[in-house]
Amino acid sequence: MSRLAEVAKAMVAPGKGILAADESTGTANKRFAPLDIPQNEEMRRKYREMLFTTPGFGEYISGVILYDETIRQNDSRGKPLAQVIAGAGALPGIKLDTGTVALALGGPDEKVTEGLDGLAKRVDEYLKLGAKFAKWRAVIAIDDGIPTHRCIHANAHALARYAAICQAGGLVPIVEPEVLMDGEHSKHSLERSFVIHEWTLKHVFEELASLDVRFEEMVLKPSMVIPGQRSGQKASSREIAEATVTVLRRWVPAAVAGIAFLSGGQGNEEASANLNEINRVARARSAPWPLTFSYGRALQQPAIGAWRGDDANVAAAQTALAQRARMNGLASLGEYSPQLEKQPLLAGAGR
Ligand code: 13P
């Protein structure tokens, strides 16, 4: 097995998943603001140090996606945070896209992700800073008349160019085509989400194949097939899992090392329950890849709420993160149940 294939396999190791802690400065500040946490570099550093030094971190977390600012920061004793993560038994990764801009000639609210210029050089630099894998997020919004073919094509092509540059330079690419679930559109049903996921994944894998991206050396980070938050439609975990596994089995090659979902605005326990059901359906249908989490909000929300920027709350915040990591680790094995939520972890304990 190639070195990159080994890294990809470790990212989706049984019972483990990825912590997405790569919020840009703007997004991190947006999460701090309602909790009255000062919005500055030192507080963002402290917050990330708190997350990565959670006792038992590496038991359920295989890797952490970092933002550029964070991969250059040290812990309070001067050790690079990337080394702190490695010391906890997880792999450091880096967000490589530079965000989204309005898509030229696209539909209203359509975006394309940027960051390809000079990317090979940035890959070299991040490798030296300890990164083993990378992420690039494309967003596809559903509304009247969108997505357009232009939007899907432009984003799929950029994802494939990024993935090829990563593999050539020595990083495992996480390929993230996110179909947004928070659209305003009332007709954003489960069925429409399914159709847009099909369209998106088909194009993404066509572009990846045409640039000879090696599937064994990548991880797919998709959204789940879920009705839009304002659709008024409620779908059960079983319906979401059936739709999600069907679309993935149809369009994702068996050689892909693994699939790690984003949470995308689901509730914390909802994200665990849905991942669990997806694994149960996947097992019953002999899906070929491990299916795990690469959550941002659904892992961090309780932890940031407990921390609130106060050193006195570090143990409580770490316990909250360990709880979500453990619940999602179990969900990635199809062994989660809501009853387990009622058995809180001891303060500071990973298990
Ligand atoms: P959420 O789980 O909060 O959607 O974030 C995951 C992520 O990395 C989005 O790019």
Side-chain angles (χ1 to χ4, degrees):
M1 193 183 277
S2 71
R3 188 184 62 80
L4 289 188
E6 275 171 19
V7 170
K9 199 172 161 210
M11 290 162 66
V12 293
K16 295 189 187 188
I18 297 165
L19 168 63
D22 60 325
E23 298 84 3
S24 63
T25 299
T27 304
N29 288 345
K30 209 166 78 187
R31 308 256 193 271
F32 281 6
L35 299 168
D36 288 327
I37 302 169
Q39 296 157 51
N40 59 47
E41 180 176 350
E42 175 56 10
M43 292 308 277
R44 292 191 294 275
R45 191 200 65 73
K46 275 189 154 186
Y47 174 62
R48 267 73 181 245
E49 178 175 356
M50 179 279 288
L51 295 177
F52 310 155
T53 53
T54 294
F57 189 78
E59 225 172 301
Y60 306 105
I61 302 293
S62 58
V64 184
I65 317 173
L66 299 169
Y67 185 57
D68 176 76
E69 177 182 274
T70 319
I71 203 168
R72 300 173 194 283
Q73 287 173 327
N74 297 332
D75 72 5
S76 41
R77 278 177 262 171
K79 188 173 178 180
L81 287 175
Q83 284 180 27
V84 171
I85 291 165
L91 299 162
I94 183 74
K95 171 188 173 78
L96 284 184
D97 68 76
T98 54
T100 59
V101 295
L103 175 69
L105 307 182
D109 295 331
E110 287 199 306
K111 305 266 196 299
V112 66
T113 303
E114 294 196 319
L116 289 172
D117 286 0
L119 186 55
K121 274 205 192 106
R122 290 170 58 223
V123 166
D124 272 353
E125 191 194 357
Y126 288 127
L127 267 174
K128 291 189 188 106
L129 290 167
K132 304 288 182 212
F133 68 92
K135 166 187 134 172
W136 179 289
R137 171 177 178 255
V139 289
I140 308 293
I142 300 180
D143 208 334
D144 280 325
I146 66 167
T148 62
H149 178 75
R150 279 188 296 282
C151 177
I152 292 194
H153 178 71
N155 277 296
H157 183 72
L159 274 167
R161 289 263 290 124
Y162 139 83
I165 292 167
C166 280
Q167 289 186 345
L171 292 176
V172 170
I174 294 182
V175 171
E176 180 180 3
E178 174 173 6
V179 177
L180 294 174
M181 65 179 75
D182 58 2
E184 299 286 321
H185 187 48
S186 62
K187 297 195 196 80
H188 179 166
S189 59
L190 183 85
E191 293 72 22
R192 181 135 160 85
S193 175
F194 181 89
V195 169
I196 302 305
H197 274 87
E198 277 213 284
W199 194 14
T200 303
L201 288 169
K202 171 172 182 278
H203 275 268
V204 167
F205 280 96
E206 273 174 4
E207 293 289 331
L208 291 167
S210 74
L211 294 188
D212 292 321
V213 170
R214 294 181 294 267
F215 297 139
E216 292 85 349
E217 299 178 358
M218 65 162 273
V219 170
L220 177 71
K221 176 165 173 167
S223 30
M224 296 176 189
V225 179
I226 291 187
Q229 277 164 358
R230 275 165 243 246
S231 67
Q233 188 186 22
K234 280 270 161 277
S236 66
S237 282
R238 175 49 66 124
E239 289 167 324
I240 290 165
E242 299 269 0
T244 303
V245 172
T246 299
V247 82
L248 293 172
R249 281 184 82 236
R250 201 170 284 172
W251 297 108
V252 181
V256 166
I259 296 179
F261 293 95
L262 59 96
S263 60
Q266 297 173 68
N268 305 323
E269 296 182 19
E270 186 187 3
S272 300
N274 287 341
L275 178 62
N276 191 60
E277 205 57 34
I278 284 172
N279 271 287
R280 292 195 180 171
V281 170
R283 190 180 307 152
R285 297 206 206 154
S286 308
W289 349 256
L291 296 135
T292 188
F293 59 93
S294 174
Y295 292 164
R297 284 163 287 178
L299 278 172
Q300 293 184 51
Q301 266 156 183
I304 195 171
W307 181 60
R308 294 181 167 264
D310 188 340
D311 289 345
N313 298 333
V314 164
Q318 291 181 331
T319 302
L321 174 66
Q323 167 83 359
R324 294 282 22 105
R326 178 167 164 260
M327 293 297 117
N328 289 311
L330 290 170
S332 76
L333 300 170
E335 292 171 7
Y336 168 83
S337 93
Q339 282 73 39
L340 295 169
E341 300 280 357
K342 298 189 187 80
Q343 301 166 13
L345 292 169
L346 296 172
R351 237 185 219 282

